[in-house]
C-alpha cells in the first residue's frame, strides 16, 4: 500500500518553513532599498554583501551535512540553525552602516548553512517512494506562501506607517514574532528519523554518483550567470516602481513561486526532473528580458516569471539529489550541492554589482537572459545524464 506523501513531519517542516520565510521576507525585500536609500551603499557593495552572505551558507553547509550523516540524527542541528537565524535577523533594527547589515546577513546565512542540509535530509527520510518531486514542491510552496505573507506584511506596514527609516526599522523588529512561532513548531511537532550513521570517517564526495555531479555542474554554471532577488528589487526601482509598491511586486513573485511549486513537482515526478529544470532555466531568461525593458510593466512581468523560476530551481535539484544520493550520504550530498552553488553565487553577485555600477543594469540583465537560455537548451540535450538508477526511501 502506497504511503501518503504528506505525513506529520512533512507538514510540520512545511509549516516551520512558512513562518521562517514569513519572518525573513518581512526583511529581505527591504534590505537592498534600506542599504541604498538610508545607508548609501553602492550596487557593488550590495552585490558583495549578498555574495558574502551566500558564501557563508557554503562554508558551513557541507560540514553540517557531513556531521549530520555521521551523527545519525538530524533534528538537533536543524533546531540550532533555525534558532540562530530567527534571533539574528531582527538585529537589523539596530544597523547603522552597510557593514552592520553585512554582519547580520552573514550571521543569518551561517545559521542557514547549519540547518539546510540536515533539514533536507530529514525531509528526504520522511518522503515515501516515488513522491520526492511532490514533497519538495510542497515544501517550496510553503516557503513561497510564507514569503508572500511576509512581503505583503512589509508592504502593508510601509503603506500604513510611511516610507521612513523608522518604518523600516520597525518592520525589522516585528519580524521576530513569526520567527518564534516557527521555532515552536520545529521543537514540539517534528520528530527525528534516526538512522545508522555513515561509516565514512572523512569527507568523501567521490562516493556520490555521477548523476549528482551533472546536476551540480549545471546548477553551478547557472548560478554564475544569474542574479538574486536584490538586483531584481533594485531594477524594479529603476523601472519606475515606487518604494512602497516594490514589496507588493515582490509579493507577486512569492505568489507565483508558491502557486507553481507543487505543479512543477508533480510534472517532474511524471516527465522527469531534469526536463522541468530546463523550463525553469528558460523562465529565468524570459524574466530577465522583461526586466531589462526598463518599464513598470516589464518589472511586474519579470517578478511574476521570476517566481515560477524560484518555484522550481532548488526544489527540483533537491528532488534529484533525493533520488540519486545514497541514503546515508544524503546530507553530505546536499552540502556539496549548496557549497558549489554558494561559491558561484558570490562570484556572480559581486560581478553583477560591478557591471551595474560600471555599465548599467541593461547589460547585466541581457547577459543573464542570454546565458540562461543557452544553459536551458544545453540541459535539455543532456537531460538523460540525470536519470537515477536506485530508490533511496526505506
Amino acid at each position: 500500500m502506497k504511503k501518503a506523501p504528506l505525513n506529520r513531519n512533512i507538514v510540520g517542516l512545511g509549516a516551520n518553513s512558512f513562518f521562517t520565510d514569513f519572518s525573513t521576507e518581512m526583511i529581505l525585500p527591504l534590505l537592498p532599498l534600506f542599504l541604498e536609500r538610508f545607508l548609501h551603499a553602492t550596487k557593488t557593495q550590495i552585490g558583495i554583501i549578498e555574495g558574502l552572505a551566500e558564501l557563508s551558507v557554503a562554508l558551513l553547509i557541507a560540514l553540517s551535512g557531513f556531521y549530520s550523516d555521521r551523527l545519525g540524527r538530524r533534528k538537533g542541528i536543524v533546531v540550532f540553525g533555525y534558532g540562530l537565524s530567527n534571533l539574528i535577523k531582527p538585529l537589523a533594527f539596530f544597523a547603522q552602516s552597510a557593514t552592520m547589515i553585512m554582519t547580520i546577513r552573514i550571521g543569518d546565512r551561517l545559521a542557514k548553512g547549519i540547518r539546510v542540509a540536515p533539514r533536507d535530509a530529514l525531509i528526504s527520510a520522511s518522503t515515501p517512494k516515488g513522491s520526492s518531486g511532490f514533497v519538495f514542491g510542497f515544501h517550496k510552496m510553503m516557503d513561497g506562501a510564507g514569503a508572500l505573507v511576509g512581503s505583503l506584511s512589509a508592504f502593508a506596514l510601509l503603506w500604513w506607517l510611511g516610507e521612513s527609516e523608522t518604518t523600516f526599522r520597525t518592520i525589522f523588529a516585528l519580524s521576530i514574532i513569526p520567527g518564534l512561532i516557527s521555532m515552536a513548531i520545529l521543537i514540539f511537532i517534528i520528530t527525528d528519523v534516526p538512522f545508522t550513521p555513515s561509516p565514512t570517517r572523512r569527507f568523501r564526495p567521490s562516493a556520490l554518483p555521477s548523476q549528482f555531479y551533472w546536476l551540480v555542474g549545471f546548477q553551478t554554471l547557472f548560478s554564475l550567470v544569474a542574479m538574486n532577488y536584490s538586483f531584481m528589487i533594485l531594477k524594479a526601482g529603476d523601472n519606475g516602481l515606487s518604494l512602497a509598491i516594490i514589496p507588493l511586486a515582490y509579493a507577486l513573485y512569492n505568489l507565483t513561486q508558491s502557486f507553481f511549486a507543487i505543479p512543477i513537482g508533480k510534472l517532474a515526478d511524471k516527465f522527469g526532473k531534469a526536463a522541468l529544470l530546463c523550463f525553469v532555466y528558460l523562465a529565468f531568461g524570459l524574466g530577465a528580458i522583461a526586466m531589462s525593458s526598463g518599464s513598470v510593466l516589464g518589472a511586474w512581468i519579470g517578478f511574476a516569471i521570476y517566481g515560477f523560476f524560484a518555484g522550481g530551481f532548488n526544489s527540483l535539484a533537491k528532488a534529484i539529489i533525493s533520488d540519486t544520493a545514497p541514503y546515508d550520504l544524503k546530507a553530505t550530498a546536499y552540502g556539496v550541492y549548496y557549497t558549489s552553488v554558494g561559491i558561484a553565487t558570490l562570484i556572480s553577485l559581486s560581478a553583477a554589482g560591478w557591471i551595474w555600477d560600471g555599465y548599467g543594469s541593461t547589460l547585466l540583465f541581457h547577459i543573464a537572459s542570454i546565458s540562461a537560455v543557452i544553459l536551458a537548451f544545453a540541459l535539455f540535450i543532456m537531460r538523460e545524464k540525470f536519470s537515477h538508477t536506485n530508490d533511496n526511501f526505506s
Side-chain angles (χ1 to χ4, degrees):
M1 181 177 177
K2 187 175 181 180
K3 295 182 180 180
L6 295 183
N7 52 52
R8 178 189 174 108
N9 261 12
I10 298 298
V11 174
L13 287 165
N16 169 68
S17 287
F18 173 90
F19 282 103
T20 297
D21 273 68
F22 184 165
S23 171
T24 299
E25 299 296 335
M26 290 178 70
I27 297 174
L28 280 190
L30 302 184
L31 271 187
L33 305 171
F34 184 71
L35 281 163
E36 184 181 45
R37 176 169 292 199
F38 300 115
L39 301 183
H40 311 294
T42 66
K43 303 297 190 305
T44 301
Q45 288 175 316
I46 293 172
I48 291 173
I49 289 170
E50 287 299 316
L52 286 173
E54 294 304 319
L55 179 62
S56 300
V57 179
L59 291 174
L60 276 185
I61 206 166
L63 179 62
S64 174
F66 175 63
Y67 179 72
S68 172
D69 283 336
R70 289 198 54 192
L71 187 65
R73 294 186 299 275
R74 315 286 192 193
K75 181 177 173 179
I77 302 174
V78 176
V79 169
F80 178 74
Y82 272 107
L84 185 60
S85 178
N86 283 309
L87 290 175
I88 286 175
K89 287 179 297 189
L91 295 178
F93 173 84
F94 301 103
Q96 299 296 325
S97 67
T99 301
M100 292 180 69
I101 291 291
M102 180 176 69
T103 302
I104 292 165
R105 284 288 287 145
I106 289 175
D108 173 46
R109 297 297 86 182
L110 285 173
K112 180 176 181 178
I114 292 170
R115 73 180 187 252
V116 166
R119 181 207 65 195
D120 288 346
L122 183 56
I123 294 173
S124 181
S126 305
T127 300
K129 179 180 176 181
S131 57
S132 61
F134 171 79
V135 166
F136 280 101
F138 169 78
H139 193 263
K140 188 62 181 177
M141 180 203 70
M142 294 297 285
D143 275 348
L148 174 62
V149 175
S151 51
L152 285 175
S153 298
F155 163 72
L157 288 167
L158 273 178
W159 193 266
W160 180 36
L161 299 175
E163 301 175 6
S164 68
E165 183 177 347
T166 300
T167 299
F168 275 67
R169 294 184 185 277
T170 300
I171 295 170
F172 297 159
L174 290 173
S175 69
I176 196 171
I177 297 172
L180 293 176
I181 296 173
S182 77
M183 289 307 301
I185 293 171
L186 184 59
I187 292 169
F188 297 112
I189 294 180
I190 304 305
T191 56
D192 213 338
V193 183
F195 60 97
T196 303
S198 169
T200 303
R201 296 297 177 185
R202 57 191 177 89
F203 186 63
R204 291 193 304 124
S206 60
L208 296 168
S210 62
Q211 299 98 321
F212 166 77
Y213 281 108
W214 278 104
L215 169 71
V216 170
F218 267 96
Q219 293 286 89
T220 300
L221 282 174
F222 187 90
S223 298
L224 280 172
V225 300
M227 80 286 291
N228 75 349
Y229 79 99
S230 57
F231 287 96
M232 303 288 283
I233 288 171
L234 294 171
K235 180 61 176 167
D238 273 8
N239 283 17
L241 265 66
S242 66
L243 187 149
I245 294 297
I246 287 175
L248 188 60
Y250 189 76
L252 174 63
Y253 147 74
N254 284 319
L255 176 64
T256 56
Q257 176 182 191
S258 180
F259 180 82
F260 284 109
I262 286 181
I264 288 172
K266 285 184 173 180
L267 289 171
D269 284 334
K270 185 174 183 179
F271 297 108
K273 298 172 181 70
L276 265 292
L277 197 56
C278 299
F279 287 99
V280 166
Y281 283 11
L282 187 60
F284 181 90
L286 296 175
I289 290 172
M291 276 284 189
S292 69
S293 68
S295 67
V296 169
L297 179 61
W300 284 100
I301 294 173
F303 271 117
I305 298 177
Y306 189 59
F308 175 85
F309 157 78
F313 181 71
N314 273 323
S315 61
L316 288 173
K318 289 186 285 189
I320 292 171
I321 294 170
S322 179
D323 289 343
T324 59
Y327 188 81
D328 62 344
L329 292 176
K330 286 189 187 296
T332 298
Y334 287 119
V336 171
Y337 166 73
Y338 283 114
T339 296
S340 182
V341 170
I343 292 171
T345 302
L346 168 63
I347 297 170
S348 171
L349 294 180
S350 300
W354 177 77
I355 291 170
W356 190 320
D357 281 335
Y359 303 97
S361 61
T362 302
L363 176 63
L364 171 63
F365 279 79
H366 282 168
I367 291 172
S369 63
I370 294 170
S371 301
V373 172
I374 291 172
L375 284 172
F377 281 103
L379 176 57
F380 183 78
I381 293 170
M382 306 184 73
R383 65 191 183 280
E384 296 301 322
K385 298 288 186 180
F386 293 75
S387 299
H388 63 90
T389 56
N390 63 316
D391 294 308
N392 299 296
F393 178 80
S394 63

